[in-house]
Amino acid sequence: VQLQASGGGLVQAGDSLRLSCVASGGTFIKYRMGWFRQAPGKEREFVAGISRRGTSTYHEESMKGRFRISRDVAKNTVYLQMNSLKPEDTAVYYCGADRDGASQSPWTFGGMDYWGKGTQVTVSS
């Protein structure tokens, strides 16, 4: 499956952005989908994940209440709505697809089978 992320940009602290990730070349509902991010000099970290049919969502604790993941099965697209952005949210955001993970499996960088090219999010203070 190929993944194409978009929607990043330069915003001010407190602003919102919605990232999109379109999947193609595979059966979308066969994959758990996740968003990860990587800031300069840091490891890629989990942001949010969603189950195959979108019935369950998972958010990294520090981002709960500000970020929300969703998916539109008809559009083969997963979204990340980001509100109240902070300068520390500055990173490249990646979407990933997990083909084999069980519904309750942990969300890990190594557990994702496919990655899209990232989209840069820069939050100025």
Side-chain angles (χ1 to χ4, degrees), residues 10-23:
L10 173 62
V11 297
Q12 293 187 331
D15 285 350
S16 298
L17 277 176
R18 188 178 78 158
L19 306 183
S20 300
C21 176
V22 180

Side-chain angles (χ1 to χ4, degrees), residues 21-77:
C21 176
V22 180
S24 61
T27 305
F28 189 52
I29 61 170
K30 287 188 176 181
Y31 300 90
R32 300 199 305 169
M33 299 296 296
W35 285 98
F36 289 68
R37 69 185 185 185
Q38 188 166 18
K42 296 188 176 181
E43 294 185 350
R44 197 170 295 191
E45 64 174 348
F46 171 70
V47 175
I50 190 165
S51 62
R52 289 170 173 83
R53 293 189 180 273
T55 52
S56 298
T57 59
Y58 310 85
H59 297 82
E60 201 281 330
E61 193 65 30
S62 66
M63 301 170 211
K64 280 183 179 179
R66 295 193 302 123
F67 291 8
R68 183 172 61 87
I69 190 171
S70 62
R71 70 192 291 168
D72 186 331
V73 175
K75 295 182 179 180
N76 284 1
T77 302

